[in-house]
Every structure is written in C-alpha cells, then in structure tokens.
Amino acid sequence: MMRRYWWVNHKQTVWQEVEGGYLWSPKTEANGARSQFYENMREATPGDSVLSFANAKISFVGVVSDYAISAPKPDEFGTTGTNWSAIGWLLPVTWQELPLSVRPKSILSEIAALLPAKYSPLKPSNGNGNQKAYLAEISEALFDVISSHSKFNGLQAPAHRSSASDFIETIESEVQKTIENDVLLSDTEKDQIIKARKGQGNFRDRLFEVESCCRITGIENPSLLIASHIKPWRSCMSAVERLDRFNGLLLAPHVDRLFDRGFITFSDDGAVIVSPHLPLEDLVRLGLEESCKKHSGSFRPEQKSYLAYHRSEVFRN
Amino acid sequence: MMRRYWWVNHKQTVWQEVEGGYLWSPKTEANGARSQFYENMREATPGDSVLSFANAKISFVGVVSDYAISAPKPDEFGTTGTNWSAIGWLLPVTWQELPLSVRPKSILSEIAALLPAKYSPLKPSNGNGNQKAYLAEISEALFDVISSHSKFNGLQAPAHRSSASDFIETIESEVQKTIENDVLLSDTEKDQIIKARKGQGNFRDRLFEVESCCRITGIENPSLLIASHIKPWRSCMSAVERLDRFNGLLLAPHVDRLFDRGFITFSDDGAVIVSPHLPLEDLVRLGLEESCKKHSGSFRPEQKSYLAYHRSEVFRN
C-alpha cells in the first residue's frame, strides 16, 4: 500500500498526544456533522508519516504505528472509563522531535502552492491554521519541504512503537476498575462482567446456545474458539450488553483478530465483508481468501443491532 | 477422535477438584519417575468421560472440558503464584453428581474381570484402590456397569464448562500479584514484566530485533502478529526469562493459539512439528496444513533452550 503523508493541527492536548504516542479526535463535529479531518484518522495506515503542528510551529514528526481504534479521550482515561459520549478515534503514532522547529508562516511563499486545495491544514492566504482542521492529508512534496527546513534526516528506531493493543489494554483496565467500584452491581455480576472481557464465564457458556462454530473457518473445537463480542466489551454501555449472548460470535483466533480490528464484518444476511484496508496478501497468508467469499449463515434479529454497530464503528470501510 | 473413559482415584483434594472443575496431578512421581497415571492427564481429550472415586465410592461423573495445561497445584493458587516446584498437569473437567453413589467393592464380582490388566485403579483381588493410581483408563463396558448401578441417565447441560483459558487467566493473575508485591523489583521493571504477559511493551519491541514475521504463515503486518512467549510467561522462573527477546516468537493469532496450547512446536533446526492430538480437520480448517509442512527457518542458539522447554512441557506428543 502506498505510504501517505499527514499533517495534524493539535488542539490543546499536544503534549499528551506526543508523550502518549497517539492522536485522538472526536468522530464527528459537535453538531454531529461528518468531518473529513476526523475521517482521516481511519484512513491513516501504519507506516504513514505525520507532521505535528502546534503553537504555530512544526516540532515533531511521527510514524503511524497501528490502525485507529474507537476510544474515549485519553486525558480522561483515569477519571471516566465509561463516559462513552466522549468516544472518538485514537490513532497510535510514534513521535520524534525534529532537529529544528519550522514556522510554516515564515516559509509561506514556498509552501502555499503545495497546500491541498481542499481540506488544507493552513489558510494559504495568511498561513494561519485552519480552525476546522485536525488530520489533513498533504503531498509528499510538501512533507519534503518541511523536512528539509527542519534538517530532518530520517527516522530513528523508536524505543517503543505504540500499538492498538497497548491502548485497548489500558482502556479496558480503566473500564474494569469502574465496574469493580460500581455499587449498583453485586459481586457475582462484577465477576461475570469481568470474565466476559476475555470471552469467558457465563458470557461464553451462553454464547454456545446461539452460535456453534466459527462462521468463517467452520472450526467447532472449543479449545480453538474465541468468544468474541460483536460490539466490543470496552464500548458496551451496560452490563446487559456485555453479557448478552446475542452480542457474541465464536471465532477462530485469527478471524477474531480481523473482526476485532475492523478488517472484516458481516452483512445482516451473513455475507462476509472484507475491508479494503486489509492487504490481500495478509488475507491469503491467513488462509482466509476463499472462506471469506462464502456465506456465513444468517443472523438472528437480536444479533443485528450489534452487527450494525460493528459495521459503522469498528469496521474500516 | 474416539471418546475414551477414565477413572480417577482422588487424593485428599476431591472436594477442591470437583467444585473447582478440574483434576490436578504432579508430572512425575516424587522420585522423578514417569507414571502412566500422570501421563494420562495429557491423553485425556475434551468429551472423554471420567468417574470420580474417593472415600471408597464413586459419587461423580465428569466430562473433560479442555486439554490439560501445565499449572501449579490449584489449592496453592492463592498463596504462591510462583512456586513452580509444585508444577503439574491441570485437566479441566465439568462434574455432576450421580443419582446414587456406587461402592465398587460391593460389586467386585461384577467388575473384577472388566478392570484393566495394567494400570488398574483398583486391586481386582480385594477392590481396594491402587495406591499408585491417579487417572486410569477404563473400558466403556466398565463405565457402563458403574453408570447402570448409579442410575446415571446421561449428562445434564452444565452451567459452566471450565476451560484451560479460565485456569490460565486465574494462574496468571496470581503470578502478576506476586510480581506486583515483589520488593526486589522497581516499578519500571514490574510494568515491563506485566506488559510482557500480554506480549506488549519492551518484550514485544525487542522481539522484533530477533524475529521478523510469523514463522508459519509469513505474516509481517505488526497489527496481525502476537508476541508470544516460547516458555509461557506463567511458567518463567524470573523476570529475565519473562523479558528475554530470545524467549519469544511473532505468530499470527491462530498459530499463537496452537503453539500456546501445545498443538504445534518446532525442532531446533526449524521444522514444524504438529501434535497427533490436533485433529487434521482443524489444521485444514485453519488453513495451515500446507504451511506446517514447510521449514520455518533456523533458530538462534539462545532460543533453543526455550524451545526444548516448549517441546517437553507444553507440546502434546
């Protein structure tokens, strides 16, 4: 896949994002309107380059280190694990500081013609940041001009590449703490909800009443099946959703990973939908190219609302 | 695979085993000698039936609900998560009480001829338990005689089928608590060791210095690779082993599951070894039949001691 170039206009949280190894945006504008700058969070692909623009200058360059996931605003991780009104896209990015900071305004004549005509991060007229912009796609030519002014001479091997798994683990631990402290839940309920996080306990047992095998590989061996949530455990709004046997599928481990990361989903009638973001090479290596063309069997009405959530919030189309 | 029948002579821990949903045995006799009664723990396969004999009577019947794993003695879970001298085989079994208890001694004339000639759970001469016996294989005929006397009329759908994953989660949580309370480790070390449990953090980063892709599928996409321990995290003796990049492989999620559960391993020269306990059907459904015939590439000397452990303690041959 072709490497792409991005430019982020950080809001107030530039330090949290750079130190934390990520970018975070809402999913839509406050009024619910779609924003290309937020949609771009899901377009960015591991290996893509990102310029970090904050306080009128570019001081960091980053490499996208995993695909975006649904996540609450990270500066709220510690205080509210279940405030899902604040849910957005979290994109893992490994940052490094540039040798020299670059003020785009001071080289505006050089870069104005290279700014994108649509969805530009800067106003070409005066070089001020576009207030609406967050993650904007830029050309390699523009990236190279900024790189050259910043004396950037290639990426260092980072000490740590932040991955989606790292963030999911952190988020789920916080949600779990919230559940453990919930005075409205009994100890038995807490135990069942926490076991459901790993696809265990009552959730897994009852899922076998609804599903009998992996819908893609046909695996029936319980030792090789993962009890996967359709609407992710971390995104559920209630104990009922976390324990609902209709909010689950039995999947082979590699199918579970693809489903969990939004590389495959299902239509209501049971067709498998493969994301254009999953390299065909990977699908072939996983031995799933043919089985993803087959029909997976129909779904029950109770499963369909969870599938609708998966298609709109997890799947990468 | 054919269903098999087993008979366990519980030791003092009958109640823990029946209530906990498992059987546990050492790996060898106290003097280090091999015991068929302990080897049988790894022979038992999900779906097999087990008669529970304790205090001179058979009062429970069980169904093996997952394959055996290496595990410390469960009654020590709470007090010593890292006492690996007490490591043995743990076999998940879902038990139910029989309508009537059966005293084998009182029906000895009927069952004596049905007892196995070798590795019998009872002495055919007097019907006393064989002191050396733990898990013994019996014939379907013997199972049927006991069933009939007990008025056993088939298995109930169990409320919960205990799985290896449940026990692994419990064991690892206990090991983690021990690490968190270890005054000899700094907070940074604890953080790294705990992240390594999930194949994250420094362990994962440094593993990429040694391994570049899944040795079986060739997957290189980091989002689809699991940083798997060769010697399992829960079985490691030290922080050094848990963080050692040579104690890891990058594996696709389904390959990770097979490796973790002992269904595949590697020879020192890199050949893939598939367990006879893995149904060929499952290997085919996972799309791995052909790739497991290929050579996976050679190993470094530092990896080989971990592989030797995996072959002897994790792999099911």
Side-chain angles (χ1 to χ4, degrees):
Chain A
M1 236 171 263
M2 214 167 63
R3 185 168 149 188
R4 294 165 77 177
Y5 298 87
W6 307 95
W7 170 313
V8 64
N9 286 3
H10 294 280
K11 307 297 174 190
Q12 299 84 335
T13 53
V14 52
W15 288 111
Q16 287 99 309
E17 291 181 322
V18 169
E19 291 195 7
Y22 65 89
L23 290 176
W24 185 89
S25 81
K27 291 190 173 180
T28 61
E29 301 282 1
N31 64 9
R34 191 180 161 284
S35 157
Q36 186 60 44
F37 298 113
Y38 300 155
E39 297 291 320
N40 283 341
M41 294 288 279
R42 309 209 82 202
E43 290 288 318
T45 296
D48 288 356
S49 296
V50 192
L51 294 174
S52 148
F53 176 74
N55 307 316
K57 59 185 195 285
I58 294 173
S59 305
F60 295 88
V61 63
V63 177
V64 175
S65 48
D66 207 337
Y67 297 93
I69 55 167
S70 269
K73 206 170 175 176
D75 55 354
E76 297 174 342
F77 277 4
T79 51
T80 160
T82 50
N83 177 9
W84 291 99
S85 59
I87 197 175
W89 300 123
L90 184 149
L91 182 70
V93 178
T94 301
W95 298 102
Q96 71 181 66
E97 197 166 2
L98 291 165
L100 297 178
S101 285
V102 177
R103 293 187 170 270
K105 209 167 181 166
S106 68
I107 54 169
L108 187 61
S109 60
E110 203 179 339
I111 64 170
L114 297 172
L115 289 168
K118 217 175 162 183
Y119 308 122
S120 174
L122 297 182
K123 291 180 191 152
S125 54
N126 59 13
N128 289 338
N130 175 356
Q131 282 299 312
K132 284 261 178 187
Y134 183 67
L135 188 63
E137 184 163 14
I138 59 171
S139 64
E140 184 173 2
L142 175 53
F143 181 87
D144 287 346
V145 170
I146 304 286
S147 292
S148 155
H149 279 280
S150 69
K151 308 286 181 206
F152 173 58
N153 46 18
L155 293 162
Q156 300 148 11
H160 176 63
R161 284 180 192 84
S162 52
S163 74
S165 297
D166 294 338
F167 289 106
I168 290 171
E169 182 69 26
T170 306
I171 295 163
E172 292 199 339
S173 296
E174 289 303 325
V175 175
Q176 182 169 326
K177 277 182 211 158
T178 308
I179 291 164
E180 283 164 352
N181 294 329
D182 188 337
V183 293
L184 298 175
L185 294 170
S186 71
D187 285 352
T188 310
E189 287 168 318
K190 287 177 190 178
D191 182 56
Q192 287 300 337
I193 299 165
I194 287 163
K195 281 185 172 155
R197 176 181 166 193
K198 314 277 182 189
Q200 294 172 354
N202 187 265
F203 171 71
R204 182 180 166 98
D205 292 326
R206 299 205 59 223
L207 180 47
F208 274 91
E209 299 165 7
V210 180
E211 297 277 313
S212 60
C213 67
C214 171
R215 284 176 172 261
I216 292 186
T217 62
I219 291 277
E220 295 169 342
N221 183 339
S223 307
L224 301 178
L225 285 172
I226 292 183
S228 191
H229 284 79
I230 301 174
K231 181 174 184 176
W233 184 89
R234 65 184 179 281
S235 305
C236 288
M237 302 297 290
S238 66
V240 171
E241 284 190 352
R242 291 196 169 95
L243 294 175
D244 186 355
R245 62 188 170 150
F246 294 111
N247 184 21
L249 295 176
L250 294 169
L251 300 173
H254 53 332
V255 176
D256 167 72
R257 174 60 71 106
L258 294 182
F259 186 72
D260 183 59
R261 297 304 166 81
F263 289 123
I264 57 169
T265 194
F266 298 92
S267 68
D268 277 352
D269 68 2
V272 184
I273 310 170
V274 178
S275 167
H277 293 274
L278 180 65
L280 178 62
E281 179 184 56
D282 287 338
L283 195 66
V284 172
R285 283 174 168 165
L286 291 175
L288 294 170
E289 195 193 4
E290 289 309 313
S291 45
C292 281
K293 290 177 186 160
K294 289 183 202 148
H295 196 275
S296 79
S298 57
F299 288 99
R300 301 185 195 222
E302 301 95 323
Q303 295 175 305
K304 290 182 182 173
S305 65
Y306 295 115
L307 284 171
Y309 181 94
H310 191 271
R311 286 192 300 268
S312 78
E313 301 297 318
V314 180
F315 184 64
R316 302 170 42 78
N317 51 24
Chain B
M1 236 170 262
M2 217 169 56
R3 188 169 148 187
R4 294 165 76 176
Y5 297 86
W6 308 94
W7 170 312
V8 65
N9 286 3
H10 294 282
K11 307 295 174 193
Q12 298 84 337
T13 52
V14 52
W15 288 110
Q16 288 97 310
E17 291 182 322
V18 169
E19 290 195 7
Y22 64 87
L23 291 177
W24 185 89
S25 81
K27 291 190 173 180
T28 61
E29 302 281 2
N31 65 7
R34 189 180 163 285
S35 157
Q36 186 60 43
F37 297 112
Y38 299 156
E39 297 291 322
N40 283 341
M41 296 287 280
R42 307 208 83 202
E43 290 289 321
T45 296
D48 288 356
S49 297
V50 193
L51 294 175
S52 148
F53 176 75
N55 307 315
K57 57 183 195 289
I58 294 174
S59 307
F60 294 89
V61 62
V63 177
V64 176
S65 48
D66 208 337
Y67 297 94
I69 55 167
S70 269
K73 206 169 174 179
D75 56 354
E76 295 174 345
F77 276 5
T79 52
T80 160
T82 50
N83 177 11
W84 290 99
S85 58
I87 196 174
W89 301 123
L90 184 149
L91 181 70
V93 178
T94 301
W95 298 102
Q96 71 181 65
E97 197 168 1
L98 290 166
L100 296 178
S101 286
V102 176
R103 295 189 168 267
K105 209 167 180 167
S106 67
I107 53 168
L108 187 61
S109 60
E110 205 179 337
I111 64 172
L114 297 172
L115 289 168
K118 216 174 162 182
Y119 308 124
S120 175
L122 298 183
K123 290 181 192 151
S125 52
N126 60 10
N128 289 338
N130 174 355
Q131 282 300 313
K132 284 258 179 188
Y134 183 68
L135 188 64
E137 185 164 13
I138 58 171
S139 63
E140 185 174 0
L142 176 53
F143 183 86
D144 287 346
V145 170
I146 304 287
S147 292
S148 157
H149 279 281
S150 69
K151 309 287 182 205
F152 174 57
N153 46 17
L155 293 161
Q156 300 147 9
H160 178 60
R161 284 180 192 84
S162 52
S163 74
S165 298
D166 294 336
F167 290 105
I168 290 170
E169 182 68 28
T170 306
I171 295 163
E172 292 198 339
S173 296
E174 290 302 324
V175 175
Q176 181 168 324
K177 278 182 210 157
T178 308
I179 291 164
E180 282 165 353
N181 293 328
D182 188 337
V183 294
L184 298 175
L185 295 168
S186 71
D187 286 350
T188 310
E189 286 168 318
K190 288 178 191 179
D191 181 57
Q192 288 300 338
I193 298 165
I194 287 163
K195 281 186 174 158
R197 176 181 166 193
K198 314 273 181 191
Q200 295 173 352
N202 187 263
F203 171 71
R204 181 181 167 98
D205 292 328
R206 298 202 60 224
L207 179 49
F208 274 91
E209 297 165 8
V210 179
E211 297 278 311
S212 60
C213 67
C214 171
R215 283 175 174 262
I216 292 186
T217 62
I219 291 277
E220 295 170 340
N221 182 340
S223 306
L224 300 179
L225 285 172
I226 293 183
S228 192
H229 285 81
I230 302 174
K231 180 173 185 176
W233 184 90
R234 65 184 179 280
S235 306
C236 289
M237 302 296 291
S238 66
V240 171
E241 283 189 352
R242 291 198 169 93
L243 295 174
D244 186 355
R245 62 189 171 151
F246 294 112
N247 184 22
L249 295 176
L250 294 169
L251 300 174
H254 54 332
V255 177
D256 167 71
R257 173 59 71 105
L258 295 182
F259 186 72
D260 183 58
R261 297 303 165 81
F263 289 122
I264 57 169
T265 192
F266 298 93
S267 68
D268 276 353
D269 69 0
V272 184
I273 309 172
V274 178
S275 166
H277 292 275
L278 180 66
L280 178 61
E281 179 184 57
D282 287 338
L283 195 66
V284 171
R285 282 174 170 166
L286 291 174
L288 293 170
E289 193 192 4
E290 289 309 313
S291 44
C292 280
K293 291 177 186 161
K294 290 183 202 149
H295 196 275
S296 79
S298 56
F299 288 99
R300 303 184 192 222
E302 301 95 323
Q303 295 174 306
K304 290 183 184 173
S305 64
Y306 295 115
L307 284 172
Y309 181 93
H310 191 271
R311 286 192 300 267
S312 78
E313 302 296 319
V314 180
F315 184 63
R316 301 169 44 77
N317 52 23

